[in-house]
């Protein structure tokens, strides 16, 4: 434990899902924070995204027995819950959404509430919990997806978890839900691998729609900073301006970017400036028609037991042609959140990192 003259504000921390993309960056910042003692990570895959000074435990958020024993042993003051399946899971694995996002969150909240040590609980939510896009400058009061809505299992179960976390707030355990924009940065896979697949080899580069629709993004570094600010505000309300516990906060760079600009930054790194000058722009109605046809065919032929591929899902269509923007004024005011913005440089670095990683993985397969 780090020597100091007074107790650390964050104390011992537990990051559930700390080997994931956002979790990796959160653990990195916690290890550098002088107000943090030991950093424990619980993840079902502790063979990736590791830091030398963090302490790793293999386990799953759905395993209540392991969780309870770990919390009793390490006595964390702060718990970060960043575990979730990726949004693009195939339909055959949809049960994981309920198991992790709903049942796992419920179990972790119960264990944290029962522990005399745990004082703060920070949940990694998402802007995808907001119902009925497109969205323009949406605030935290906007309706979430109803829990009965089955159109998108990721969005529905994240909405349920978001509500569970905020409802669990009380005198014994202070909670907060952080609704992240679409995260990007080094070690990103989801959202980056798919775009790289679209431009691999000599594939035609295709843009859907005019390309002026905006998307709310957050660098992994900014996301990690917001988590730590929220934790410190829960533990010491004097650090906040107004209420934080039991609240939700939109978290992003505070600078929405055109969706297709984001994509083109990735394409430029992967294929070069010359290659992306020849991008084919298709009218939005073509993808709208394709999505509807595929949805109906699968509904008729499989009784909705098989879902369309990611690129032909309604969610993909909405991000390709509609804007999704969200206000972070609440986080700026109450958490004193001041995001650092260098979108193109951070995304280009993340793309180069992923290309190098993919190359090394391919080389290992050949050996």
């Amino acid at each position: 434990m780090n020597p100091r003259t007074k107790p650390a504000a964050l104390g011992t921390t537990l990051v559930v899902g700390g080997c994931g993309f956002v979790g990796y960056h959160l653990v990195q910042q916690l290890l550098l924070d002088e107000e943090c003692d030991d950093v424990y990570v619980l993840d079902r895959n502790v063979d990736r995204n590791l830091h030398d000074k963090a302490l790793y435990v293999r386990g799953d958020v759905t395993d209540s027995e392991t969780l309870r024993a770990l919390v009793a042993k390490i006595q964390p003051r702060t718990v970060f819950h960043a575990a979730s399946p990726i949004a693009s899971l195939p339909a055959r694995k949809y049960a994981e959404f309920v198991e992790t996002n709903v049942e796992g969150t419920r179990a972790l909240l119960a264990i944290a509430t029962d522990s005399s040590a745990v004082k703060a609980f920070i949940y990694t939510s998402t802007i995808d919990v907001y119902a009925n896009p497109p969205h323009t400058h949406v605030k935290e009061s906007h309706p979430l997806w109803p829990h009965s809505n089955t159109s998108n299992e990721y969005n529905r179960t994240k909405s349920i978890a978001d509500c569970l976390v905020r409802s669990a707030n009380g005198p014994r355990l202070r909670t907060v839900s952080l609704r992240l924009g679409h995260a990007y940065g080094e070690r990103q896979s989801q959202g980056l691998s798919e775009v790289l697949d679209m431009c691999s080899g000599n594939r035609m580069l295709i843009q859907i729609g005019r390309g002026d629709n905006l998307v709310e993004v957050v660098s992994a570094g900014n996301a990690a900073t917001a988590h730590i600010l929220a934790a410190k505000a829960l533990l010491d309300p004097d650090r906040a301006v107004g209420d934080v516990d039991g609240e939700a906060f939109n978290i992003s760079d505070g600078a929405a970017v055109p969706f297709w600009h984001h994509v083109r930054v990735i394409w430029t790194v992967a294929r070069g400036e010359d290659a992306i000058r020849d991008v084919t722009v298709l009218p939005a109605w073509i993808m709208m028609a394709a999505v509807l046809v595929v949805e109906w065919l699968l509904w008729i032929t499989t009784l909705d037991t098989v879902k369309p591929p990611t690129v032909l899902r309604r969610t993909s269509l909405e991000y390709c042609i509609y804007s999704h923007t969200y206000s972070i004024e609440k986080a700026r005011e109450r958490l004193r959140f001041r995001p650092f913005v260098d979108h193109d440089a951070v995304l280009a670095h993340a793309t180069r990192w992923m290309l190098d990683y993919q190359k090394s993985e391919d080389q290992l397969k050949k050996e």
Side-chain angles (χ1 to χ4, degrees), residues 12 17 20 24 33 52 87 112 129 163 186 189 202 260 284 288 325:
T12 295
Y24 170 86
D33 196 304
D52 290 341
V129 298
C163 293
E186 184 181 305
S189 177
N202 293 316
W260 287 102
M288 294 170 73
T325 63

Side-chain angles (χ1 to χ4, degrees), residues 14-18 26 61 78-84 100-106 108-109 121-125 158 161 165 227:
L14 172 62
V15 184
V16 180
L26 173 57
V61 70
T78 309
V79 172
F80 297 94
H81 176 15
S84 176
T100 300
N101 293 343
V102 180
E103 300 307 328
T105 300
R106 185 178 282 119
L108 185 56
L109 281 167
F121 189 106
I122 301 87
Y123 178 59
T124 309
S125 187
K158 291 294 283 188
V165 169
H227 279 70

Side-chain angles (χ1 to χ4, degrees), residues 112-125:
T113 301
D114 290 343
S115 169
S116 61
V118 182
K119 304 301 180 186
F121 189 106
I122 301 87
Y123 178 59
T124 309
S125 187

Side-chain angles (χ1 to χ4, degrees), residues 263-280:
V263 171
R264 283 171 181 255
V265 170
I266 300 170
W267 284 351
T268 300
V269 174
R271 295 272 293 269
E273 289 278 0
D274 292 339
I276 72 156
R277 289 194 181 114
D278 188 23
V279 175
T280 301

Side-chain angles (χ1 to χ4, degrees), residues 271-349:
R271 295 272 293 269
E273 289 278 0
D274 292 339
I276 72 156
R277 289 194 181 114
D278 188 23
V279 175
T280 301
V281 179
L282 298 180
W285 67 264
I286 292 180
M287 185 171 178
M288 294 170 73
V291 168
L292 287 172
V293 168
V294 171
E295 280 186 349
W296 276 106
L297 282 175
L298 289 176
W299 179 272
I300 293 168
T301 58
T302 72
L303 298 179
D304 203 33
T305 58
V306 176
K307 299 294 182 182
T310 301
V311 294
L312 288 175
R313 292 183 185 179
R314 192 175 295 266
T315 302
S316 300
L317 166 65
E318 290 169 347
Y319 274 103
C320 284
I321 64 177
Y322 299 138
S323 285
H324 296 68
T325 63
Y326 307 83
S327 170
I328 65 166
E329 289 312 304
K330 184 178 175 183
R332 288 186 189 274
E333 178 185 339
R334 299 194 192 181
L335 299 178
R336 296 188 174 97
F337 176 53
R338 302 291 183 267
F340 171 79
V341 182
D342 194 6
H343 170 270
D344 290 10
V346 173
L347 181 58
H349 171 76

